[in-house]
Amino acid sequence: MSAGVEQREGIVIRAGAGHCQVYVAPEQVHVAPETWQCQVRGRLKKGPKQVQSLVVAGDRVRFEAVAGQGPDGREGIVEEVLPRRNRISRMAARRSGGRIEQVLMANLDQLVVVQSVRDPEPQTGFVDRLLAAALRFDVHGVVIVNKVDLCGDDAARRRELERWGYYRSLDVEVVPASVATSEGLPELAALLAGKISLLLGASGVGKSSLLNALYPELGLRVNSVTDRTGLGRHTTTHTELHAVRGGGFIADSPGLRGFDPWDIAPGGIRAYFPDLEVVALECRFRGCLHRDEPGCGVKDAVARGRVPAWRHEAYLALLRDLEDRERAAGY
Ligand SMILES: Nc1nc2c(ncn2[C@@H]2O[C@H](COP(=O)(O)OP(=O)(O)O)[C@@H](O)[C@H]2O)c(=O)[nH]1
Ligand SMILES: [Mg+2]
Ligand SMILES: [Zn+2]
């Protein structure tokens, strides 16, 4: 740092390879916040971190202003990425080879997992593995069950909500919602107020629609059904943070297909399924993976209806995927 150059601090709202957009909160009310376009200082790229996770949405950074070319001249160079309080990370795409961490976002207050009751149909185990990752990274989890207007009759709705309500036993808030009827929107607004949240979920579950309903000024692009099935769809490709009324930040994310949590060994998944851990006290073997082992307390609990079979299946699917990853990485 050269003497006399003023350093500013802000929060990264959008990041690409080697550059980012930084939001600087005003020091006084009635003053508009500023957005700065920043390059990342070359020497920061030499560290052990992969370039794609060097600076991510949610990071707090220090930067220096440089003489800008842009219309408002707000350009800078990031000198320092401040230590992350937490993060949500997964393993990068398999084709990238080896094991590479992909940080989706840093410094969050909560991970909001969005699922729809149908259209698209819930993917077995998807919410479960995201909640396992939230536990792993010390991030509070929330589940939104969207499109409850599509449930059908009251009996179907009750069944549906009872299934999703299971997550409440894991200290996770579950909010049934519908953009079509506005159900659950006040609860969601209250959960998001003043917090830094990341919305994750498959494409088409209604993430952008929910945010638009709460904060119309965001004007997020909503996928039409044809967009989703056709080629050439235009969806967000990066996690992008939006500063919203009430002081919080919300990140809408591109639709997630798969999610293999970063830094959980297959044998360690158990710890992030706390409901299975409780009944695992009955397992005959200490290191039981609740698969084919005799005397397994988890399988027993499933057979007696104490734990839903889908939770066990979600655990097994994650175990399988993480073992495949290890094998592919040559461990
Ligand atoms: N019936 C119904 N449709 C919804 C609801 N929320 C979103 N949609 C529709 O679902 C589609 C995908 O929504 P979008 O917000 O783009 O999903 P995203 O990919 O998760 O951001 C759009 O056609 C929305 O109009 C809802 O609560 N009920
Ligand atoms: Mg969207
Ligand atoms: Zn077991």
Side-chain angles (χ1 to χ4, degrees):
M1 186 186 23
S2 41
V5 178
E6 189 193 352
Q7 285 219 347
R8 293 175 166 81
E9 203 178 300
I11 178 167
V12 173
I13 52 176
R14 205 188 165 120
H19 58 89
C20 58
Q21 257 177 43
V22 181
Y23 173 98
V24 179
E27 281 175 15
Q28 301 151 338
V29 280
H30 310 309
V31 177
E34 296 175 352
T35 305
W36 290 70
Q37 309 294 329
C38 293
Q39 299 295 315
V40 177
R41 179 70 79 198
R43 73 178 150 74
L44 295 182
K45 298 177 191 162
K46 295 208 183 76
K49 280 182 196 160
Q50 289 298 324
V51 171
Q52 67 171 341
S53 292
L54 179 65
V55 179
V56 301
D59 267 327
R60 298 193 169 270
V61 294
R62 288 217 177 92
F63 66 94
E64 274 177 15
V66 295
Q69 317 288 318
D72 53 8
R74 289 189 186 124
E75 292 183 21
I77 295 188
V78 171
E79 300 286 347
E80 188 184 357
V81 181
L82 300 179
R84 290 174 183 155
R85 166 162 66 92
N86 63 19
R87 67 197 197 280
I88 289 289
S89 289
R90 66 169 168 178
M91 297 189 206
R94 282 167 196 246
R95 68 183 134 74
S96 62
R99 298 180 54 140
I100 295 176
E101 177 180 12
Q102 184 189 19
V103 182
L104 299 186
M105 188 171 151
N107 305 320
L108 344 53
D109 292 318
Q110 56 194 0
L111 173 63
V112 180
V113 182
V114 186
Q115 185 62 270
S116 52
V117 295
R118 66 174 54 92
D119 192 24
E121 216 56 53
Q123 228 181 304
T124 314
F126 188 70
V127 171
D128 306 82
R129 67 176 62 200
L130 286 171
L131 291 178
L135 263 183
R136 159 66 187 83
F137 292 111
D138 269 329
V139 174
H140 181 64
V142 174
V143 172
I144 307 298
V145 185
N146 193 32
K147 308 199 189 184
V148 290
D149 56 288
L150 300 181
C151 273
D153 61 13
D154 284 353
R157 185 192 149 96
R158 255 195 313 278
R159 266 198 312 279
E160 194 82 51
L161 296 188
E162 193 186 320
R163 179 221 191 283
W164 293 103
Y166 178 80
Y167 293 116
R168 296 202 175 103
S169 67
L170 309 175
D171 277 335
V172 166
E173 282 112 329
V174 178
V175 182
S178 166
V179 176
T181 66
S182 296
E183 176 175 350
L185 297 185
E187 289 88 334
L188 180 56
L191 281 172
L192 297 177
K195 301 225 174 82
I196 302 180
S197 310
L198 170 61
L199 262 66
L200 285 184
S203 178
V205 296
K207 297 179 295 297
S208 302
S209 303
L210 285 164
L211 292 184
N212 279 343
L214 296 180
Y215 311 104
E217 64 274 20
L218 293 181
L220 299 175
R221 195 193 152 92
V222 165
N223 303 337
S224 75
V225 174
T226 46
D227 274 351
R228 264 188 291 133
T229 48
L231 297 168
R233 57 178 188 187
H234 302 272
T235 42
T236 347
T237 52
H238 282 94
T239 304
E240 188 171 351
L241 268 188
H242 304 277
V244 294
R245 270 180 284 121
F249 286 88
I250 289 164
D252 188 18
S253 59
L256 273 189
R257 275 164 209 275
F259 188 95
D260 291 342
W262 174 251
D263 202 26
I264 301 183
I269 304 172
R270 311 167 29 140
Y272 307 111
F273 283 74
D275 47 339
L276 303 192
E277 273 299 77
V278 172
V279 292
L281 294 172
E282 309 287 323
C283 293
R284 189 178 307 159
F285 301 107
R286 239 167 170 251
C288 185
L289 288 177
H290 323 315
R291 202 158 32 190
D292 321 309
E293 298 90 339
C296 173
V298 172
K299 279 190 289 181
D300 191 50
V302 170
R304 292 166 188 232
R306 280 180 66 197
V307 167
W310 55 264
R311 273 293 278 176
H312 186 219
E313 281 155 23
Y315 160 84
L316 290 175
L318 182 55
L319 178 62
R320 220 166 25 240
D321 285 355
L322 295 185
E323 283 180 340
D324 282 353
R325 288 283 202 157
E326 288 214 331
R327 225 169 283 126
Y331 279 23

